[in-house]
Amino acid sequence: VKKITEIFKNHFVKKKSFIPKGLCSVIITAVVAYLSLSSNPLDITSFQFTFPGIDKVVHFLMYFALVMAYLYDYCKFKLPHHTSLNIELMLTASAAVLGLMMEIGQLVFTNCREFDIFDCLANAVGALCGFLLMRFWGIHLLRHYFLASKHSHRSHHHHAE
């Protein structure tokens, strides 16, 4: 039974490694671009729990998630080495600039959406909060999780031989 469990774990871990690095960031960036440039992507007006400013909350959450994805992928890419604060800040600033570009894109490419400086502010604050959470908590947890799983995978593999 131990041997079968070992083979299954090794097979499962190898399967996971086929996911290309950075895919999480690419997917969330594409979703944010779609939500930013389509006419009424979430049909927010039909939500039961709508309230004034709900769009700002959505903007905040999109860019919060975007920076979390960027820093998650960066952390995985850098392992086993530590991440660089400069690159983390650059990724965070890139997300905020993307938010500004999406707002300009709404002005230029759509008839139904318009530029809103407060959307830009919500985007930037969401990106900053995503950075702060990852910098002071998330990256440490990810390093611990990924390095522990790599170490345990190596030790299991070593014992199997």
Side-chain angles (χ1 to χ4, degrees), residues 7-158:
I7 291 168
F8 178 76
K9 280 182 181 174
N10 289 340
H11 182 71
F12 182 70
V13 169
K14 285 178 184 166
K15 281 261 189 225
K16 278 172 56 173
S17 69
F18 287 118
I19 298 171
K21 285 185 174 141
L23 186 63
C24 186
S25 294
V26 170
I27 289 171
I28 293 186
T29 301
V31 168
V32 166
Y34 169 76
L35 292 175
S36 297
L37 297 175
S38 60
S39 58
N40 189 11
L42 297 176
D43 196 17
I44 281 182
T45 53
S46 71
F47 283 5
Q48 294 296 319
F49 58 87
T50 191
F51 55 87
I54 189 172
D55 64 315
K56 303 304 179 263
V57 173
V58 170
H59 278 268
F60 174 92
L61 291 173
M62 286 193 313
Y63 286 85
F64 179 84
L66 190 63
V67 167
M68 296 272 289
Y70 287 175
L71 296 181
Y72 168 84
D73 282 337
Y74 172 56
C75 179
K76 272 186 78 171
F77 177 76
K78 285 293 288 181
L79 283 173
H81 305 289
H82 288 276
T83 56
S84 157
L85 175 60
N86 287 345
I87 293 178
E88 292 169 26
L89 289 170
M90 190 253 332
L91 290 167
T92 303
S94 297
V97 168
L98 178 68
L100 177 63
M101 289 169 44
M102 289 296 111
E103 286 300 310
I104 292 169
Q106 288 177 4
L107 186 67
V108 174
F109 299 119
T110 69
N111 300 331
C112 48
R113 309 278 297 266
E114 55 191 42
F115 181 89
D116 183 344
I117 194 69
F118 294 109
D119 286 351
C120 292
L121 187 61
N123 297 344
V125 170
L128 180 63
C129 288
F131 161 76
L132 292 172
L133 182 67
M134 287 297 283
R135 178 71 188 167
F136 296 108
W137 184 68
I139 288 175
H140 173 72
L141 282 181
L142 287 171
R143 282 185 52 76
H144 179 75
Y145 172 77
F146 286 125
L147 291 176
S149 68
K150 280 185 177 190
H151 176 69
S152 94
H153 175 63
R154 276 193 210 117
S155 64
H156 287 309
H157 186 66
H158 181 68

